Amino acid sequence: AKAMNIINDLKNALSHFEAAGKDRGELQYLGKAATNGLLARTYLYLENWDEARNYAEQALKTAVLLL
C-alpha cells in the first residue's frame, strides 16, 4: 500500500512536469530524471521488472538531454 502511494505521488509529479512543458532545470530540487529514477527504484523493490526498466530508460533519456 505504501509503495502504491509513492508511485502515485511520483507519477503525479511527472504529470506536473509535462503540464509545465519542460523540466525546470535548477529551479527545483527534484527534476524529471530523478523522478523517473525513483519510480524505477520503487518498481525494482516491487520486482516489477518491466516498469522498472521503462522508468530507468526514461530517467536516462531525460538525464542525457540535460547534459
Side-chain angles (χ1 to χ4, degrees):
K2 288 182 184 181
M4 288 310 298
N5 289 338
I6 293 168
I7 289 168
N8 289 334
D9 287 347
L10 291 170
K11 286 184 176 181
N12 186 35
L14 283 175
S15 72
H16 287 289
F17 285 121
E18 297 302 323
K22 60 182 176 172
D23 194 358
R24 294 179 53 200
E26 296 179 11
L27 298 178
Q28 79 272 336
Y29 293 94
L30 186 65
K32 285 176 67 175
T35 304
N36 280 312
L38 287 170
L39 276 164
R41 174 74 54 105
T42 302
Y43 279 117
L44 276 174
Y45 287 128
L46 295 173
E47 298 182 0
N48 184 334
W49 314 123
D50 291 334
E51 288 297 317
R53 180 184 178 128
N54 175 45
Y55 283 102
E57 288 174 348
Q58 291 301 315
L60 291 171
K61 201 179 304 182
T62 304
V64 167
L65 293 175
L66 295 174
L67 297 175

